[in-house]
């Protein structure tokens, strides 16, 4: 059995964070979950609360935190465009001040720290699939910039703390991930389409639906997080974590309608500004360094996600 560690997960009551907390507890670690419940929910971690090695702290990472842990997974940040654009100044503060506070904490207590970065650092990419060496194509003044530039600045801070203070860092660039524990009102495409299909509402495809995304099931991603955290200290990333299977948004809509047996119609709403036209991770680095690649096919992951939303909606 792995050595027992004290592990802090910021954003731990959100979608990815709740799965990560559960996995770390299963592995025998002490888990401190920190969240301000902006987009996360107590429901996601309610089943973990009785666990003797689980602790929950309501806290906003834009303020300093004083705790003693061995490892930090920094996930706190709204991830859905509708939520991160709701209060864009707060989104940048969460990414940047949150990173400074968690890096400062890691420096003081000599903890290893992983950043949940994003494929959004590549913006609307002009090379395809995206490799880690690509510097990206981001509009710094558009509506997505609070998130994209916030995450880019957080990466900068991670690497400066590494160079300047010898901090042990890991940077994961996460591509679109889906699964149970996404909020009904999350607003991202997989949860929107499933909820709409189950309720018999119109499926809202933005634009023509020819834009592409690559969808990773949450269990695969969490496995990637844990393997990345376990790499030797001289390995920092950034490392792409995502499923290379690429689909158009229209294909996703049709798949969800078929799999739910829904009578919903597809409608076309305006395409949001700066919506990336294509996105697919090159995961060569993850294959080489951590021997990782996603195991879950889109339809298999959708079966589990649809079952979760059926239950949550009481259908
Ligand atoms: P989520 O919105 O479900 O989770 C984010 C969590 O952070 C929520 O519980 C929220 O309440 C919390 N939070 C937000 N601001 C906070 C603050 N100031 N202080 C403390 N807690 C705060 O989203 P998610 O999909 O679970 O994303 C988790 C992380 O992974 C985010 O950093 C996100 O940018 C990154 N990421 C996710 C994806 C994906 O497809 N799921 C893709 C790329 C990057
Ligand atoms: N999208 C859509 N309908 C929705 C929600 C999203 O067509 O109800 C599209 C969105 O325009 C984007 C893609 O689906 O092209 C993925 O959007 P999401 O918000 O899930 O994540 P993004 O990758 O854009 O951050």
């Amino acid at each position: 059995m792995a050595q027992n560690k004290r592990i802090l997960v910021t954003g731990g009551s959100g979608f990815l964070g709740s799965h990560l907390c559960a996995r770390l507890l299963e592995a025998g670690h002490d888990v401190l979950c920190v969240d301000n419940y902006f987009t996360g929910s107590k429901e996601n971690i309610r089943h973990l609360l009785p666990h003797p090695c689980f602790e929950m702290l309501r806290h906003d990472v834009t303020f300093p935190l004083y705790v003693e842990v061995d490892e930090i997974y920094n996930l706190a940040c709204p991830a859905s465009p509708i939520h991160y654009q709701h209060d864009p100044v707060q989104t940048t503060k969460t990414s940047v001040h949150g990173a400074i506070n968690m890096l400062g904490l890691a420096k003081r207590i000599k903890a290893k720290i992983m950043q949940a970065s994003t494929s959004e650092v590549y913006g609307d990419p002009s090379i395809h699939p995206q490799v880690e060496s690509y510097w990206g194509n981001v509009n710094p003044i558009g509506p997505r910039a609070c998130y994209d530039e916030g995450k880019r600045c957080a990466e900068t801070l991670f690497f400066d703390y590494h160079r300047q203070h010898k901090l042990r860092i890991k940077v994961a660039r996460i591509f679109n991930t889906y699964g149970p524990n996404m909020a009904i009102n999350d607003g991202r495409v997989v949860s929107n389409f499933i909820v709409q299909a189950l309720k018999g509402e119109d499926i809202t495809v933005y634009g023509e639906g020819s834009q592409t995304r690559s969808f990773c099931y949450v269990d695969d991603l969490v496995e990637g997080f844990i393997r990345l955290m376990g790499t030797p200290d001289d390995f920092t990333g950034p490392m792409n974590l995502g499923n290379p299977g690429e689909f158009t948004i229209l294909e996703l809509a049709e798949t969800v309608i078929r799999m739910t047996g829904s009578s919903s119609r597809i409608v076309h709403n305006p395409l949001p500004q700066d919506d990336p036209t294509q996105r697919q991770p090159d995961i060569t680095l993850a294959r080489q360094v951590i021997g990782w690649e996603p195991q879950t096919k889109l339809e298999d992951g959708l079966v589990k996600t649809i079952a979760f939303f059926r239950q949550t909606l009481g259908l």
Side-chain angles (χ1 to χ4, degrees):
M1 172 158 152
Q3 194 197 347
N4 170 282
K5 296 185 199 118
R6 301 162 301 171
I7 303 181
L8 167 62
V9 179
T10 77
S13 74
F15 160 49
L16 296 180
S18 57
H19 288 273
L20 177 61
C21 288
R23 266 295 294 277
L24 294 171
L25 285 171
E26 269 170 35
H29 301 297
D30 275 328
V31 175
L32 172 58
C33 168
V34 162
D35 205 295
N36 69 351
Y37 297 122
F38 176 51
T39 50
S41 95
K42 282 189 188 156
E43 277 318 303
N44 282 345
I45 51 157
R46 197 174 294 284
H47 63 297
L48 305 178
L49 290 173
H51 197 295
C53 298
F54 184 72
E55 220 176 322
M56 171 67 210
L57 178 66
R58 182 194 287 265
H59 174 81
D60 183 327
V61 295
T62 61
F63 297 98
L65 177 68
Y66 299 95
V67 293
E68 307 297 321
V69 291
D70 305 302
E71 289 179 355
I72 303 170
Y73 288 86
N74 187 37
L75 273 60
C77 186
S80 164
I82 57 164
H83 293 299
Y84 70 63
Q85 290 174 28
H86 167 75
D87 185 348
V89 172
Q90 182 62 24
T91 298
T92 304
K93 281 187 188 169
T94 293
S95 277
V96 177
H97 292 186
I100 290 170
N101 287 327
M102 292 310 111
L103 287 161
L105 172 66
K107 181 181 158 212
R108 180 177 66 79
I109 61 179
K110 298 187 173 41
K112 184 157 59 165
I113 181 166
M114 196 199 85
Q115 167 69 353
S117 191
T118 168
S119 54
E120 282 285 311
V121 301
Y122 302 124
D124 191 4
S126 51
I127 69 147
H128 193 72
Q130 291 77 57
V131 282
E132 290 88 350
S133 54
Y134 176 53
W135 290 355
N137 175 34
V138 173
N139 174 1
I141 57 169
R144 295 175 83 102
C146 59
Y147 183 74
D148 300 8
E149 297 290 15
K151 289 284 188 179
R152 286 169 67 97
C153 184
E155 286 199 10
T156 306
L157 285 161
F158 267 68
F159 278 86
D160 282 334
Y161 268 79
H162 173 67
R163 282 185 288 257
Q164 201 175 330
H165 300 298
K166 309 283 174 268
L167 225 66
R168 293 173 297 153
I169 63 155
K170 312 286 171 190
V171 174
R173 290 186 179 153
I174 307 162
F175 285 64
N176 299 62
T177 301
Y178 69 97
N181 294 5
M182 294 185 90
I184 288 177
N185 67 349
D186 180 273
R188 280 174 281 183
V189 68
V190 175
S191 49
N192 266 12
F193 285 1
I194 292 176
V195 171
Q196 289 163 344
L198 291 176
K199 289 177 154 180
E201 295 172 351
D202 290 346
I203 308 277
T204 55
V205 169
Y206 302 159
E208 292 302 309
S210 54
Q211 69 273 35
T212 66
R213 293 293 186 274
S214 305
F215 300 104
C216 184
Y217 187 64
V218 60
D219 289 356
D220 287 330
L221 187 84
V222 168
E223 177 65 29
F225 276 176
I226 288 168
R227 289 193 194 194
L228 174 58
M229 189 61 117
T231 52
D233 287 349
D234 61 354
F235 184 80
T236 58
M239 176 183 278
N240 288 341
L241 292 178
N243 192 322
E246 186 184 4
F247 299 85
T248 67
I249 294 306
L250 202 53
E251 281 173 325
L252 178 71
E254 285 160 355
T255 305
V256 168
I257 289 173
R258 176 171 48 76
M259 290 182 65
T260 51
S262 173
S263 55
S264 291
R265 295 176 317 139
I266 291 176
V267 297
H268 292 271
N269 287 359
L271 189 66
Q273 188 191 329
D274 296 337
D275 199 286
T277 48
Q278 54 181 0
R279 194 182 279 159
Q280 187 197 35
D282 181 319
I283 59 164
T284 307
L285 185 69
R287 282 196 179 102
Q288 283 171 350
V289 176
I290 58 172
W292 177 88
E293 63 183 351
Q295 303 296 313
T296 314
K297 293 199 186 73
L298 179 63
E299 295 212 0
D300 296 338
L302 286 178
V303 167
K304 295 181 189 171
T305 313
I306 291 167
F308 165 79
F309 279 111
R310 257 191 224 287
Q311 194 184 17
T312 309
L313 292 166
L315 295 168

